[in-house]
Amino acid sequence: MGDIKKVVLAYSGGLDTSIIIPWLKENYDNCEVIAVAGNVGQGGELEGLEEKAKKTGASKLYIADLTDEFASDYIIPTMKAGAVYEGKYLLGTSFARPIIAKKIVEIALAEGADAICHGCTGKGNDQVRFELTIKAFAPNMKIIAPWRIWNLKSRDEEIDYAEAHNVPLNITRETNYSKDKNLWHLSHEGLDLEDPANEPNYDKILELGVTPEKAPDKPTYITLSFEKGAPVALDGKKMKPSALIAELNKLGGANGIGIADIVENRLVGMKSRGVYETPGGTILYFAHEVLESLCLDKETAHFKQHIALKFADLVYNGQWFTPLREALSAFVDSTQQTVTGEVKLKLYKGNITPAGVTSPYSLYDEEIATFSEDEVYDQKDSAGFINLFGLPIKVKALMEQKNGKSK
């Protein structure tokens, strides 16, 4: 392994990447390890990271501030697409990996690194998301994935390794959940959650909010403003996407919104169970869908639902930097030209209820839709429409009568 002199490591400071630094130096002839952490809104998890990285053997640590780009260029396009994986997962980890991996490649190339290393397990989706991005921007870069080659078989064994190498940890064996936190969400996996028969101990694991039972007995009303499908203001206050999402996380979390207990189908073929907290994202998706119901015509809205499914698969599978994802985003942007307006919502004990929606591009015509008397819709027209629309059914029924068949 002497050909590896300098490695850039995707570093979070969690259990996996903390022990990878000494492991790399042990197994690659004391190579230089440069740690890179992408700030995608994980907050306090970045505190003390530089000291920890250097103490465990890294020569330096880059902390790349990616939060605004993450919100504007990854979260919002996915939200506008309405992409939800398997009907529940709002893709919080999935679209964070490409932006982090892209920045790691930039630093690796600038540093003249021989390899990029990540701490993803061989069972998970993240290994694919990281490595597809690396291939997109540095196709000849060597990739080191310790979980696929080292002798450690479990998180308990990782903790043993950390203790033997004096690597400081912020967890214990009892609180050793696998977590991923960013601006959009917080995921929890492992321990008792590995058995779907176990009800999650929400009082123990929730960090972004409370359960609906503990939410206030009084509803919270908010108004979200959108321009061309993107959120631009909360309660009349203009905000950049990252700040708006952060504020919605507080409001949603306080009202018990955005908690999802999911058994999902991983890309690598197995099912996994996790608990996801996505309070602000759940609100944004709901509000955007309400506004689209007012502004999109039927055919576009229905076709866009098909696009959303494929878009979600692409994001989940790590195919962000692909021609198809880019083409689908272009289609979505075209559909959003008139998705402008305001959506009022009521947040109450885990529920989101529409409380009014307006748009200058509304396709809802009260005079046409009214049950009261109107002068713009001739109800007699519906008879001819039904005759034509039902003609194939009538013809088939006549044929069956002619041939002695009946329903």
Side-chain angles (χ1 to χ4, degrees):
M1 298 183 181
D3 57 327
I4 303 296
K5 303 295 184 183
K6 183 185 292 188
V7 179
V8 169
L9 169 67
Y11 185 72
S12 68
L15 175 59
D16 296 323
T17 57
S18 292
I19 67 170
I20 282 176
I21 294 176
W23 182 88
L24 283 170
K25 297 183 79 65
E26 280 184 354
N27 289 274
Y28 290 88
D29 300 327
N30 199 34
C31 65
E32 181 183 359
V33 179
I34 298 171
V36 179
N39 178 6
V40 284
Q42 59 268 51
E45 292 184 2
L46 297 171
E47 294 178 5
L49 215 57
E50 182 174 10
E51 180 183 358
K52 182 177 181 179
K54 290 182 176 180
K55 185 175 180 180
T56 50
S59 63
K60 67 177 78 169
L61 170 71
Y62 288 92
I63 297 180
D65 186 1
L66 306 172
T67 307
D68 288 341
E69 182 184 355
F70 177 46
S72 299
D73 296 350
Y74 295 78
I75 292 177
I76 299 304
T78 304
M79 184 275 301
K80 289 195 297 185
V84 181
Y85 184 69
E86 296 188 336
K88 291 183 179 180
Y89 177 41
L90 297 185
L91 300 164
T93 298
S94 306
F95 50 35
R97 295 309 185 230
I99 185 174
I100 294 171
K102 181 184 177 188
K103 176 55 68 172
I104 288 170
V105 170
E106 291 176 8
I107 292 172
L109 294 176
E111 286 279 355
D114 302 303
I116 290 174
C117 179
H118 64 73
C120 308
T121 74
K123 290 184 177 181
N125 302 304
D126 280 346
Q127 58 181 334
V128 181
R129 296 163 184 158
F130 270 108
E131 294 186 28
L132 292 191
T133 300
I134 294 169
K135 292 179 187 300
F137 293 98
N140 295 318
M141 179 68 68
K142 182 176 177 59
I143 298 171
I144 301 173
W147 265 107
R148 301 204 290 254
I149 55 178
W150 64 17
N151 294 322
L152 303 177
K153 303 299 182 184
S154 68
R155 289 176 70 81
D156 272 344
E157 290 187 10
E158 284 187 290
I159 293 175
D160 291 339
Y161 185 95
E163 291 173 348
H165 291 76
N166 297 314
V167 176
L169 299 175
N170 296 324
I171 60 171
T172 66
R173 295 179 194 272
E174 292 72 31
T175 63
N176 186 23
Y177 288 102
S178 177
K179 298 184 180 183
D180 178 67
K181 183 180 182 181
N182 58 46
L183 174 69
W184 189 244
H185 90 154
L186 172 61
S187 64
H188 310 264
E189 295 179 318
L191 298 180
D192 55 307
L193 297 178
E194 290 188 343
D195 185 351
N198 293 331
E199 179 181 6
N201 186 343
Y202 290 116
D203 291 335
K204 180 180 179 181
I205 65 174
L206 293 184
E207 298 179 26
L208 300 186
V210 298
T211 59
E213 296 92 334
K214 293 187 175 182
D217 292 329
K218 181 181 179 181
T220 299
Y221 284 88
I222 64 170
T223 300
L224 281 165
S225 302
F226 291 82
E227 292 180 3
K228 295 185 177 180
V232 294
L234 174 61
D235 293 330
K237 181 181 179 182
K238 291 277 187 178
M239 304 173 75
K240 62 183 180 180
S242 59
L244 192 147
I245 292 167
E247 188 62 27
L248 287 178
N249 278 334
K250 296 176 185 176
L251 293 167
N255 284 280
I257 288 166
I259 303 168
D261 182 356
I262 302 172
V263 174
E264 69 195 60
N265 290 295
R266 284 183 177 173
L267 174 60
V268 294
M270 70 186 71
K271 290 184 182 291
S272 65
R273 192 270 188 103
V275 171
Y276 297 89
E277 299 180 65
T278 321
T282 301
I283 295 171
L284 266 185
Y285 265 73
F286 189 96
H288 182 257
E289 185 176 341
V290 169
L291 185 57
E292 280 194 326
S293 72
L294 199 69
C295 301
L296 293 188
D297 65 277
K298 175 184 173 180
E299 293 299 327
T300 300
H302 287 191
F303 188 75
K304 187 170 175 287
Q305 290 175 348
H306 297 288
I307 293 299
L309 291 173
K310 186 60 180 178
F311 200 106
D313 281 345
L314 291 173
V315 177
Y316 188 85
N317 294 341
Q319 295 169 295
W320 185 269
F321 297 107
T322 60
L324 179 55
R325 199 284 306 165
E326 293 170 0
L328 292 185
S329 284
F331 167 79
V332 169
D333 285 342
S334 177
T335 70
Q336 300 297 291
Q337 296 305 302
T338 59
V339 184
T340 294
E342 293 190 344
V343 183
K344 187 177 181 181
L345 302 173
K346 180 170 73 172
L347 315 179
Y348 182 66
K349 288 190 174 296
N351 296 298
I352 311 173
T353 307
V357 55
T358 61
S359 170
Y361 302 104
S362 173
L363 297 176
Y364 178 85
D365 190 316
E366 185 176 354
E367 192 172 5
I368 291 177
T370 182
F371 285 97
S372 301
E373 183 179 353
D374 69 85
E375 297 181 355
V376 298
Y377 185 90
D378 189 343
Q379 298 197 29
K380 295 178 183 178
D381 291 343
S382 62
F385 164 74
I386 295 171
N387 286 335
L388 293 176
F389 188 65
L391 185 59
I393 296 174
K394 181 178 179 179
V395 170
K396 183 174 182 292
L398 290 172
M399 176 274 293
E400 289 175 343
Q401 287 180 2
K402 180 180 178 181
N403 288 280
K405 296 182 180 180
S406 60
K407 295 291 185 184

